Amino acid sequence: MMVIHDRAGTPNAARVRIVVAEKGLEDQVRYVSVDLVAAEQKRPEFLAMNAVGKTPVLVLEDGLAISESVAITEYLDNLDGHPVLTGRTQREKALIHMMHRRAEIMLLDPIDDYFHYGTKGLGEALRPWRKPEWPDRHDWGRRRGAEAVANLPYFDGVLREQSFLASDTYSLADITLFAAITFARPIGLPVSEEYTGIAEWFERFSALPAVQNRSGQSFR
Ligand SMILES: N[C@@H](CCC(=O)N[C@@H](CS)C(=O)NCC(=O)O)C(=O)O
């Protein structure tokens, strides 16, 4: 049995849980919940699995620990020899990777910076890992949030032209965009309904069986 160390309800846990559901791997995976607020991910036992000190981490039966949502996605997507989320041809792979990175660089990363620096983030226990010595960190965090909001029209434009971010079926790129949008809203970054490309895509994506059936949607 494979083990995934993550925290249900966080954006990166959602990314991997959608992949598990899409690939029908629920029976082959056991989840171990990591207490992020108590900084369990910064303890030596966890750092031995992932030196970056973040979740999720997939541990294979032979003990190999794989971190980074994209690396985990690639591993799980290729497990049965029939990748459906990361591309089959060189062209598909390149487009999916490119659009995934755009969703990460233009949205998910600045939204994450806003959460950790522009708000209280995960709380006091994590302060030592959050550059507390940096006096204008709150301003910088808020500017990062504004940057993400200013990048939304780009994604809206793409999604007015096509059903999904990188091709006519959903892929890793849409999973990253979904993580960004569902992270932004509850932490107070507006995703206007005027962006009808995004709004219609969000409905289409949310209705997918793998998204509906992913386990553990609420932050515990
Ligand atoms: N690039 C990493 C990002 C992982 C990440 O930021 N995980 C968050 C949960 S959504 C986390 O563990 N945060 C705890 C912390 O920052 O200490 C990935 O794709 O998996």
Side-chain angles (χ1 to χ4, degrees), residues 7 11 18 26 28 35 58 63 68 77 85 97 104 106 119 135 140 176 190 203 213:
R7 186 71 176 186
I18 291 169
E26 291 91 342
Q28 296 177 49
D35 190 343
L58 168 71
E68 294 303 318
D77 196 27
L85 297 170
H97 194 120
E104 212 164 48
M106 295 170 75
T119 78
W140 180 79
T176 308
E203 268 186 38
N213 297 338

Side-chain angles (χ1 to χ4, degrees), residues 3-51:
V3 178
I4 293 178
H5 300 258
D6 73 357
R7 186 71 176 186
T10 61
N12 289 291
R15 286 164 97 177
V16 167
R17 284 169 182 241
I18 291 169
V19 178
V20 169
E22 176 61 44
K23 300 298 289 187
L25 294 168
E26 291 91 342
D27 295 345
Q28 296 177 49
V29 169
R30 181 168 64 84
Y31 289 97
V32 173
S33 185
V34 181
D35 190 343
L36 300 182
V37 172
E40 197 184 330
Q41 70 280 18
K42 310 298 187 200
R43 291 189 198 144
E45 314 83 87
F46 192 93
L47 294 174
M49 284 193 302
N50 178 11

